[in-house]
Amino acid sequence: MRHYALLGETLRHSLSVPIHEMIFRETGFSATYELIKIPRADFSTQAKDVLSHLDGCNVTIPYKQEVMALLHSVDETAGKIGAVNTISRHDGVLRGHNTDAPGLAAMLLENGLNPAGQVCFVLGTGGAAKAAVYTLNKLGAKQVLCVSRRTEENDPAVISYQELDAMTKQVTGLLINATPVGMWPRTEDCPLPADVIARFSGVADLIYNPPQTRLTEIAAQVGIPAVTGLHMLVEQAVKAQEIWQERPLPPELPPYLMKNLNLFT
């Protein structure tokens, strides 16, 4: 039997175990999946030991970039993004992958949030934000800007929240939240005020717990198409399983999981 896990700093919000366990059942793949919480100060030492015992794993906030230093190689997509969320291990060799990008692409396109030709604003600059930037550009976005409270000098692709406020008074576009603001248990938090949210043409929140965030709730109230990240989570989990199982899985599996997973009951 093979053994897989999710590595992260705070995992109380995670829904990965039931998703992967259901994929195992539906595909007949004999494996286990668990959550492994690693304190930030101990990440390098603990993660190195954990990775030597697992057949593969997923990686979440805040380790998608830091974990790359522990790997033997990364695939082309992960290399271009600069972040890893999935790791495979074969004969002791650790290889990094990024399944967030195809997961996000599927979520956007299947929910009518095509970024082609649009200005897109990504809240955050971490690993999830990097995957979002890569995906939006690949799907033909007119321009992609990251929004950060700590703007980086000489980087025209990173703007402040004050600059976002000013720009969106003139230009509409697609908003992607790649920060943890609004994640369970702090579900009343919202990364932007309601008047700013109302300026966007569409909203995608990568948070999947709760199933509707304050951000997407406000967007829906003013008639803006909005989606949270459960669809992306399921899609990227299936892509990770394809890497681990070394075979394509049925295309009907993600919608089946979305329909039959009772994650919030």
Side-chain angles (χ1 to χ4, degrees):
M1 180 176 287
R2 297 185 183 183
H3 302 283
Y4 301 91
L6 172 65
L7 310 186
E9 183 181 29
T10 303
L11 299 176
R12 291 181 300 164
H13 67 286
S14 177
L15 303 174
S16 292
V17 170
I19 291 173
H20 284 280
E21 287 182 343
M22 189 168 186
I23 297 174
F24 293 147
R25 290 194 300 271
E26 294 300 319
T27 61
F29 191 59
S30 182
T32 64
Y33 193 97
E34 63 180 313
L35 304 180
I36 299 179
K37 180 181 176 181
I38 302 178
R40 190 172 300 202
D42 302 326
F43 178 74
S44 294
T45 54
Q46 287 194 22
K48 187 174 182 180
D49 179 64
V50 167
L51 290 171
S52 69
H53 294 91
L54 292 171
D55 294 290
C57 68
N58 294 122
V59 183
T60 190
I61 297 172
Y63 301 133
K64 294 183 180 185
Q65 295 165 267
E66 189 175 347
V67 76
M68 295 177 73
L70 305 178
L71 308 178
H72 298 99
S73 66
V74 298
D75 69 12
E76 183 179 0
T77 300
K80 288 181 177 179
I81 292 172
V84 162
N85 80 313
T86 300
I87 298 170
S88 58
R89 184 168 73 92
H90 296 288
D91 299 323
V93 176
L94 297 169
R95 183 167 174 80
H97 313 263
N98 192 298
T99 66
D100 281 339
L104 175 58
M107 183 178 79
L108 293 176
L109 296 179
E110 293 178 27
N111 286 277
L113 297 174
N114 192 336
Q118 295 199 64
V119 177
C120 299
F121 300 91
V122 179
L123 304 185
T125 56
K130 290 180 181 298
V133 170
Y134 172 88
T135 302
L136 294 166
N137 281 319
K138 192 171 183 179
L139 292 176
K142 180 179 180 180
Q143 183 182 19
V144 182
L145 297 169
C146 285
V147 186
S148 175
R149 300 195 186 283
R150 298 185 297 275
T151 54
E152 301 172 21
E153 292 185 12
N154 303 319
D155 188 347
V158 180
I159 63 174
S160 68
Y161 279 78
Q162 290 74 22
E163 289 172 310
L164 172 70
D165 185 14
M167 285 187 67
T168 53
K169 290 177 181 176
Q170 306 296 326
V171 179
T172 189
L174 184 64
L175 175 69
I176 309 289
N177 179 35
T179 78
V181 178
M183 184 190 303
W184 186 90
R186 298 184 61 176
T187 58
E188 292 304 311
D189 291 351
C190 187
L192 294 173
D195 65 317
V196 177
I197 296 169
R199 300 171 191 164
F200 294 98
S201 62
V203 172
D205 196 334
L206 304 194
I207 291 171
Y208 53 83
N209 187 0
Q212 178 157 258
T213 62
R214 184 64 182 143
L215 173 62
T216 59
E217 184 179 65
I218 293 172
Q221 287 171 355
V222 295
I224 296 171
V227 63
T228 48
L230 182 59
H231 190 159
M232 175 180 169
L233 179 68
V234 168
E235 291 278 358
Q236 69 84 14
V238 171
K239 295 296 183 184
Q241 289 277 350
E242 290 182 332
I243 292 168
W244 297 334
Q245 298 191 31
E246 299 181 272
R247 61 186 175 110
L249 297 180
E252 62 270 18
L253 183 57
Y256 175 84
L257 294 170
M258 290 289 294
K259 182 179 179 180
N260 292 282
L261 279 163
N262 297 314
L263 297 172
F264 298 100
T265 57

